């Protein structure tokens, strides 16, 4: 009698414990599946750019900009530049706001906008006006201003997405009466460019067209 009562009590206890555990596991599952969706990182990584994954994996290293610039969009950059507009004008002779005017910024000496009070971090980086904004410096700076240049007064988190950053840099490059030459680095883009400037480019193009046709008939 006694022992069957205990058995029943233990059984009831186990049943309750089982229900509680099931509920908590289920709610955990609901939580953990809902959470990443709110973060937005997963979406960014999934946008088909293997470069961003590599950059992340190598501990936040930054993609070289040259290959990215080859396919960058000036219009996309102009759209993305809305994030910068509160602080920067881009027209020739435009006013300095919270940040300096950015006309002709690519290859412009660093910290050289007339009448703008730069931080010492920025003027130090400029090495007394010796150093210019090249593509890689802009790439690093715009990815994470405060990380790239400790102490900069630019209060902006950075353009984390490689393609967006490349677009913005392409846009900045276009803001000039004589846009700086694109970086020549290892890029196949450079080869493409020279090829299209040469008269032989027609031949190259037609032989390229033949290849897919051949493989298609096979
Ligand atoms: C909250 C205001 C703010 C925003 C937003 C901002 N900047 Fe800046 N930016 C500054 C300030 C301030 C400086 C000067 C920094 C210093 O002196 O350390 C600066 C400096 C710069 C410089 C160096 C200019 C020079 O003359 O050497 C570049 C390039 C630049 N910003 C680009 C951008 C781009 C591109 C964006 C948008 C993706 C952006 N900034 C967004 C405030 C801002």
């Amino acid at each position: 009698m006694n022992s069957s009562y205990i058995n029943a009590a233990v059984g009831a206890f186990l049943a309750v414990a089982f229900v509680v555990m099931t509920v908590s596991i289920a709610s955990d599952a609901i939580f953990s599946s809902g959470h990443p969706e709110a973060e937005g990182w997963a979406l960014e990584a999934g946008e088909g750019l293997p470069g961003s994954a590599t950059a992340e994996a190598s501990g936040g290293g930054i993609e070289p900009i040259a290959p990215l610039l080859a396919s960058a969009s000036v219009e996309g950059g102009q759209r993305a530049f809305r994030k910068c507009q509160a602080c920067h004008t881009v027209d020739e002779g435009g006013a300095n706001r919270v940040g300096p005017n950015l006309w002709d910024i690519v290859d412009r000496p660093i910290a050289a906008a007339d009448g703008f009070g730069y931080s010492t971090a920025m003027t130090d980086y400029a090495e007394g006006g010796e150093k210019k904004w090249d593509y890689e410096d802009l790439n690093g700076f715009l990815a994470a201003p405060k990380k790239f240049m400790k102490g900069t007064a630019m209060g902006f988190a950075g353009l984390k997405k490689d393609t967006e950053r490349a677009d913005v840099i392409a846009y900045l490059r276009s803001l000039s009466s004589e846009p700086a030459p694109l970086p020549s680095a290892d890029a196949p883009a450079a080869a493409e460019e020279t090829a299209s400037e040469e008269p032989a480019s027609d031949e190259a193009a037609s032989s390229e067209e033949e290849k897919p046709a051949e493989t298609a008939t096979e």
Side-chain angles (χ1 to χ4, degrees), residues 62 137-145 148 156-160 162 165:
I62 297 167
D137 273 343
L138 282 170
N139 189 30
F141 181 63
L142 295 179
F148 183 84
F156 181 74
L159 299 168
K160 299 281 174 276
D162 296 334
R165 209 165 56 246

Side-chain angles (χ1 to χ4, degrees), residues 11-161:
F13 174 78
L14 287 177
V16 169
F18 177 76
V19 168
V20 168
M21 272 176 63
T22 307
V23 167
S24 84
I25 288 167
S27 67
D28 268 2
I30 290 164
F31 255 88
S32 61
S33 72
H35 203 58
E37 266 175 292
E39 298 286 342
W41 280 106
L43 278 177
E44 225 171 278
E47 274 183 347
L49 195 78
S52 62
T54 341
E56 220 96 335
S58 64
I62 297 167
E63 277 293 286
I65 198 70
L68 289 166
L69 271 180
S71 55
S73 148
V74 173
E75 291 78 37
Q78 184 168 16
R79 252 175 282 128
F81 193 81
R82 291 201 193 115
K83 295 177 182 174
C84 327
Q85 255 162 5
C87 300
H88 291 288
T89 61
V90 293
D91 47 322
E92 189 170 7
N96 298 323
R97 290 192 188 152
V98 177
N101 171 266
L102 294 180
W103 171 258
D104 209 11
I105 189 69
V106 177
D107 271 357
R108 186 174 95 182
I110 293 170
D114 276 345
F116 186 82
Y118 289 95
S119 66
T120 43
M122 187 72 84
T123 49
D124 284 353
Y125 194 82
E127 293 169 7
E130 288 292 302
K131 219 165 147 19
K132 295 180 174 178
W133 278 116
D134 63 21
Y135 290 106
E136 287 309 337
D137 273 343
L138 282 170
N139 189 30
F141 181 63
L142 295 179
K146 304 255 176 201
K147 222 164 149 190
F148 183 84
M149 196 182 290
K150 217 168 184 304
T152 179
M154 177 153 137
F156 181 74
L159 299 168
K160 299 281 174 276
K161 212 168 126 187

Side-chain angles (χ1 to χ4, degrees), residues 201-217:
S201 68
D202 270 347
E203 272 172 44
S206 59
S207 66
E208 237 174 5
E209 268 166 28
E210 274 168 32
K211 273 178 204 156
E214 274 170 24
T215 45
T217 49

